[in-house]
Amino acid sequence: KQEVTQIPAALSVPEGENLVLNCSFTDSAIYNLQWFRQDPGKGLTSLLLIQSSQREQTSGRLNASLDKSSGRSTLYIAASQPGDSATYLCAVPTAGGTSYGKLTFGQGTILTVHP
Amino acid sequence: GAVVSQHPSRVICKSGTSVKIECRSLDFQATTMFWYRQFPKKSLMLMATSNEGSKATYEQGVEKDKFLINHASLTLSTLTVTSAHPEDSSFYICSARDSRGVEKLFFGSGTQLSVL
């Protein structure tokens, strides 16, 4: 059974810092990995999707890396801003390593960036 | 980008009543939609997979008679919580996958259900 763990559970930093959020998964036979952002009481916004054949993806100040063999992914946030404050979730396909859409989520990292 | 609309965003109901939550894909067709549940400070747990024109597939431990799912069109799936009880209070989120095979999933904004 796939399990996804995120560290740290919470992170509070001053504005401008560079951050690293960690995600690990137990079954390395994944098709892809996604990072999401969730604002309080809201749905999810997809930030980055990394295919299993890729090592990283970048979007603006965000960079996500994937080391499939070791079952790890990191989300790097450069020059953090108060608007980055949210819960960050990573997720992988649940069964059989497919991209069908059933996802197993980590418990999230609650990020607070203060001015 | 693709948009998934979920309504209502918040509902408060009395114990024993039924609540319907709608999930619509606004600019793409979704033969498959997914319903998740999220408890406070916990991660999302998949409840069921909604298939257009056929029965939903429920995850282990999810009562299909309590959580009725209907996916009658390519753009709409509904989740009905029947005879709701306080323990059903939770945040429910739907997601949809573009039928053209785009890898990303698109999520609704969620529904906070509070059963008194």
Side-chain angles (χ1 to χ4, degrees):
Chain A
K1 178 185 174 184
Q2 179 73 272
E3 294 182 1
V4 180
T5 303
Q6 291 185 243
I7 295 173
L11 187 60
S12 180
V13 299
E15 181 176 7
E17 279 204 5
N18 300 324
L19 312 170
V20 176
L21 308 182
N22 298 290
C23 172
S24 62
F25 43 94
T26 54
D27 185 350
S28 62
I30 61 170
Y31 193 81
N32 57 42
L33 182 145
Q34 277 190 253
W35 282 92
F36 294 89
R37 169 183 173 142
Q38 184 178 28
D39 292 288
K42 302 293 183 182
L44 277 66
T45 301
S46 180
L47 298 174
L48 291 164
L49 182 148
I50 312 175
Q51 300 289 359
S52 62
S53 57
Q54 298 175 322
R55 294 194 64 83
E56 65 178 315
Q57 278 285 327
T58 298
S59 175
R61 294 182 293 108
L62 304 179
N63 176 276
S65 66
L66 175 63
D67 184 343
K68 196 177 148 185
S69 60
S70 67
R72 295 179 184 175
S73 176
T74 60
L75 179 66
Y76 177 82
I77 303 176
S80 58
Q81 303 172 356
D84 294 331
S85 299
T87 297
Y88 290 81
L89 297 159
C90 71
V92 296
T94 297
T98 70
S99 63
Y100 187 65
K102 296 170 66 172
L103 299 179
T104 297
F105 284 84
Q107 67 272 52
T109 293
I110 302 172
L111 173 64
T112 303
V113 181
H114 46 88
Chain B
V3 177
V4 173
S5 174
Q6 186 174 341
H7 291 281
S9 59
R10 179 179 292 274
V11 58
I12 301 173
C13 68
K14 293 182 179 180
S15 184
T17 60
S18 295
V19 175
K20 180 185 285 187
I21 303 170
E22 291 188 348
C23 181
R24 294 180 185 271
S25 56
L26 296 185
D27 52 0
F28 65 98
Q29 293 184 335
T31 55
T32 304
M33 293 185 177
F34 304 90
W35 288 95
Y36 288 83
R37 183 174 182 176
Q38 186 178 32
F39 291 102
K41 298 185 179 180
K42 300 290 185 182
S43 191
L44 282 76
M45 298 295 293
L46 180 66
M47 298 174 64
T49 302
S50 171
N51 304 298
E52 188 268 333
S54 63
K55 292 183 179 180
T57 304
Y58 291 82
E59 296 300 303
Q60 190 174 11
V62 178
E63 298 177 59
K64 59 181 66 177
D65 293 330
K66 165 164 274 298
F67 299 102
L68 299 179
I69 292 173
N70 182 276
H71 194 153
S73 77
L74 286 171
T75 59
L76 174 64
S77 175
T78 61
L79 168 68
T80 300
V81 183
T82 63
S83 187
H85 290 283
E87 58 266 29
D88 299 324
S89 298
S90 187
F91 193 64
Y92 294 87
I93 307 178
C94 69
S95 70
R97 182 179 179 226
D98 193 321
S99 298
R100 292 169 295 179
V102 176
E103 291 289 348
K104 286 185 179 180
L105 289 178
F106 301 96
F107 283 78
S109 55
T111 298
Q112 181 64 53
L113 171 63
S114 300
V115 184
L116 305 179

